[in-house]
Amino acid sequence: MKLLRYGPAGAEKPGILDNDGQIRDLSAHVSDIGPEQLSPEGLARLRAVDVAGLPVVIDPRLGACVAGVGKIVCIGLNYRKHAEETGSKIPEEPIVFLKATTSLNGPDDPIIVPYGSVKTDWEIELGVVIGQRATLIEEASALDYVAGYCTTNDVSERHFQSHRGGQWTKGKSADSFGPIGPWLVTSDEVPDPQQLDLWCDVNGERLQSSSTADMIFDVRFVVSYLSQFMTLMPGDVIMTGTPSGVGAGFKPQRFLKAGDHLRCGVTGLGEQSHAVIDFRR
């Protein structure tokens, strides 16, 4: 299933993408696409719905594909070439940081260059959405706790990240810096999360092009690893790292500015399209 949320910001309704690519309204069956609906029982109920009998929704705004996200957990430097382009050592364990949930954004909403920013950057990533409470789980069973996957972009302000006290979270958490979607693709439709292509275009130029096969730490390991340090809850989103081709990796470096346009996607998980605009008080 491809589950989504549509409508005005703050008033989104649940939806599903049918086999013809049409958005159908799920409001008669569930109140939203959130932790309750992402459990194995919740997904089973949704699979029993007659999608062809649901109302069609024409050209709506899409919101973040998951509601009620408790935390966004991110993995840094998880692609070998990305670590190399930043001049960093290959990590021996996953680098973990958090991204504020107030950064969540729709897949076609503007990305806002924040106040004081000089180095706003792009980072296409595979998003993993948790469907069951996970604490101290084994790597072998880790994917059983995943409800599905989505396209994400870990938008970053590099100066805030690296030169404002060394706290990555403050460079990752500005409003609009966490677009997820357009939809959540349930895990049964993604047999191998390590065989997905990722790409990102800036103003029509392809700057990131890679595969999740190049991850240093794969999804199974990351989910199990995180569960050793924190309880993962239904609705939590894991951003699993970005490949090479970010603005900070170019010489000279390249960063987003108002008027730019960003397109990015992951095979089978859908595309995002963002106008870049300036912060206004």
Side-chain angles (χ1 to χ4, degrees):
M1 293 183 292
K2 294 180 175 66
L3 303 173
L4 54 91
R5 301 172 66 248
Y6 73 91
E12 291 90 348
K13 296 181 179 180
I16 189 169
L17 199 71
D18 69 16
N19 291 333
D20 296 320
Q22 298 183 107
I23 293 173
R24 302 274 185 159
D25 179 32
L26 273 172
S27 297
H29 297 272
V30 291
S31 60
D32 212 333
I33 304 298
E36 180 181 352
Q37 292 76 32
L38 298 175
S39 69
E41 298 77 17
L43 291 177
R45 287 192 291 270
L46 287 174
R47 289 191 182 96
V49 172
D50 175 19
V51 174
L54 298 175
V56 175
V57 182
I58 305 298
D59 296 329
R61 170 197 172 265
L62 296 180
C65 60
V66 179
V69 176
K71 54 185 173 288
I72 305 170
V73 189
C74 304
I75 306 300
L77 302 176
N78 197 24
Y79 286 73
R80 187 171 298 274
K81 289 183 179 179
H82 174 53
E84 291 171 351
E85 75 176 347
T86 63
S88 303
K89 294 181 179 179
I90 303 301
E92 296 181 3
E93 293 190 39
I95 296 171
V96 178
F97 60 94
L98 297 177
K99 192 177 185 85
T101 56
T102 48
S103 71
L104 285 168
N105 200 16
D108 300 310
D109 290 343
I111 288 174
I112 303 168
V113 176
Y115 176 72
S117 169
V118 292
K119 294 184 177 182
T120 295
D121 207 346
W122 55 88
E123 294 194 30
I124 179 62
E125 305 200 6
L126 171 65
V128 177
V129 181
I130 299 300
Q132 299 185 66
R133 181 186 177 101
T135 305
L136 298 175
I137 61 173
E138 298 295 331
E139 187 176 344
S141 62
L143 296 187
D144 295 342
Y145 294 80
V146 174
Y149 303 90
C150 61
T151 299
T152 69
N153 190 341
D154 177 25
V155 186
S156 305
E157 211 299 338
R158 302 300 188 187
H159 184 74
F160 297 174
Q161 176 184 349
S162 300
H163 303 288
R164 297 291 298 274
Q167 300 294 322
W168 281 25
T169 295
K170 69 176 71 169
K172 302 283 189 170
S173 296
D175 292 352
S176 82
F177 271 25
I180 61 172
W183 36 75
L184 167 74
V185 180
T186 51
S187 57
D188 58 302
E189 294 192 9
V190 185
D192 186 356
Q194 304 310 138
Q195 295 297 323
L196 302 174
D197 295 330
L198 312 86
W199 56 270
C200 184
D201 296 348
V202 180
N203 298 327
E205 180 184 2
R206 182 138 304 178
L207 299 182
Q208 288 186 284
S209 182
S210 188
S211 166
T212 54
D214 292 331
M215 284 183 181
I216 298 168
F217 306 105
D218 65 16
V219 172
R220 191 185 301 272
F221 181 87
V222 164
V223 174
S224 172
Y225 181 86
L226 291 175
S227 80
Q228 316 303 311
F229 301 95
M230 65 188 77
T231 295
L232 300 172
M233 297 295 292
D236 286 351
V237 175
I238 303 169
M239 295 187 179
T240 55
T242 197
S244 61
V246 300
F250 284 91
K251 295 181 180 179
Q253 294 180 327
R254 303 169 63 172
F255 297 110
L256 295 171
K257 62 186 183 303
D260 287 343
H261 188 266
L262 196 64
R263 288 182 65 246
C264 55
V266 181
T267 303
L269 305 185
E271 299 182 7
Q272 299 182 356
S273 177
H274 304 282
V276 180
I277 64 174
D278 268 333
F279 170 88
R280 290 291 181 269
R281 292 190 210 230

